[in-house]
Amino acid sequence: MTTTGSDYTYDPPADPAASAAAAAVEQTPPRTGRRVALVTGASSGIGAATARRFAAGGWHLLLSGRDRRRLEKTASGTSSVLLPADLAAPDGAKMLAEAALREAGRIDLLVAGAGIGWAGPFMTMPHTDIDRVLFLDLNATLHLVREVLPAMVAAGSGRVVLVGSVAGAVGVREEAVYSAAKAGLAAFAEALRQELRGTGVGVTLVVPGPVETGFFTRRGRPYHRSRPRPTSAGRVAAAVWDAVSESRDDMYIPSWLTLPSRVRALTPGLYRKLLDRFG
C-alpha cells in the first residue's frame, strides 16, 4: 500500500521473501496439471486421513511427517510424493517448503496437521515439554505458513488449512499448554484471514473435538471423558474436504461444538460453572 499526504509519498520496502516467491512462481512451471496439496502430519491420524481424501479427489499430494514408513503406508495406491521432515528441527519449516516448491512448482493448499499433546497438571509439566508442545503445535505451523504463503499470494490463489482443537476454543483442564497453543492458532487464523483479504488466498480453521487416533496414546493419557464422544479421523478429513471445496473459514466437528464457545462468550460465569462440573 502507498500512503500519500500533502507533501510526501511513502512506499513500504518490498518483502524479500515475497519477491523471491513471486520470481519462483514465474520461473518454475507447474510439474502437474492437478492441484497440489502439502499435508503435514500425514504419517497418521487426521493428516493421513486428509491426505487419502484429497488423493481420492484428484489432488496431487505432497506428504510430510517424521516417519517415512508410515508415510509410505498413507501414500499407498496414490501418486503422492513423500517429503519426510521434522518441523521441530531448526529450519525444518523452511526446508520443507523449499522442497515442496521444488518438487511441484506450486502449492495450492497447505493442510497443517502436525501436532502433539501433553496431559497432566500444569505444575508437573516439564519445561522441555512446554517448549516442545508450543513449538510444534504453534511456532512450527506459523513458520511453515510464513514460508508457503508468499508463493500463494504471488499466484493469486490458494488456501491454508490449520488444524485446531476444541481445547483452543474453550480451554481444557490438565491440557493447559495444548489449549494455549491451539487458541493461539485460532487467533492467528483470524488475523491472517483479515490480512489476506483480496489476495485470492483463504484461511480455514478446522476445530475437531476428540478424534480416534493415536494422539492420546502418544501424549501419555487415554481419553476418558464421556462427552464429547470421539469421532473418526475420516469424518474430520471429510470436513476438511468440504471446507476447502466451499471456501469455509471455520469448520467444527461435530458442528454442535460451536455451542461451548458461544456460551463462554455470552455468559462466562455460567460457562465456568459448567466447566467445573463437566470438565
Side-chain angles (χ1 to χ4, degrees):
M1 177 184 295
T2 298
T3 303
T4 60
S6 58
D7 57 357
Y8 71 94
T9 299
Y10 171 64
D11 291 295
D15 179 356
S19 299
V25 170
E26 292 177 358
Q27 296 173 9
T28 306
R31 292 174 174 80
T32 175
R34 294 180 292 164
R35 290 174 294 178
V36 177
L38 170 61
V39 181
T40 68
S43 55
S44 63
I46 294 173
T50 299
R52 287 190 287 267
R53 178 64 185 87
F54 277 81
W59 286 64
H60 179 60
L61 272 294
L62 308 176
L63 306 183
S64 184
R66 290 183 297 175
D67 190 326
R68 173 176 279 275
R69 181 183 60 81
R70 297 176 79 175
L71 282 177
E72 290 173 348
K73 184 177 179 181
T74 301
S76 178
T78 76
S79 58
S80 303
V81 175
L82 307 187
L83 297 175
D86 183 1
L87 291 177
D91 292 330
K94 180 179 177 64
M95 294 173 64
L96 174 58
E98 290 176 347
L101 287 169
R102 280 197 307 269
E103 174 63 39
R106 71 173 191 267
I107 298 172
D108 301 297
L109 172 68
L110 168 64
V111 179
I116 56 174
W118 194 95
F122 178 67
M123 288 191 298
T124 69
M125 188 173 187
H127 290 278
T128 52
D129 286 330
I130 293 174
D131 292 340
R132 193 165 60 97
V133 171
L134 285 176
F135 190 86
L136 189 57
D137 290 2
L138 182 60
N139 291 21
T141 299
L142 267 59
H143 283 293
L144 181 59
V145 174
R146 175 64 181 85
E147 293 294 337
V148 169
L149 204 55
M152 289 185 176
V153 173
S157 64
R159 180 159 292 271
V160 173
V161 174
L162 305 173
V163 179
S165 168
V166 69
V170 300
V172 176
R173 184 169 60 216
E174 297 194 349
E175 294 182 37
V177 177
Y178 178 74
S179 296
K182 294 299 185 178
L185 206 60
F188 171 68
E190 193 63 56
L192 186 62
R193 193 177 294 126
Q194 296 174 43
E195 289 188 29
L196 293 175
R197 189 175 294 119
T199 65
V201 180
V203 179
T204 296
L205 178 68
V206 175
V207 185
V211 184
E212 294 172 338
T213 67
F215 173 84
F216 296 108
T217 300
R218 289 192 295 271
R219 77 172 186 176
R221 178 187 290 184
Y223 184 75
H224 63 275
R225 295 184 175 91
S226 59
R227 290 185 180 277
R229 300 178 69 176
T231 190
S232 69
R235 182 178 179 184
V236 178
V240 174
W241 172 268
D242 291 343
V244 172
S245 301
E246 300 165 9
S247 299
R248 294 274 297 273
D249 289 340
D250 301 285
M251 183 70 82
Y252 284 73
I253 309 104
S255 58
W256 68 262
L257 284 180
T258 58
L259 182 59
S261 299
R262 293 175 182 175
V263 173
R264 181 187 183 194
L266 294 173
T267 56
L270 173 61
Y271 166 78
R272 293 188 182 102
K273 288 179 180 178
L274 293 171
L275 197 64
D276 289 341
R277 180 176 179 183
F278 298 107

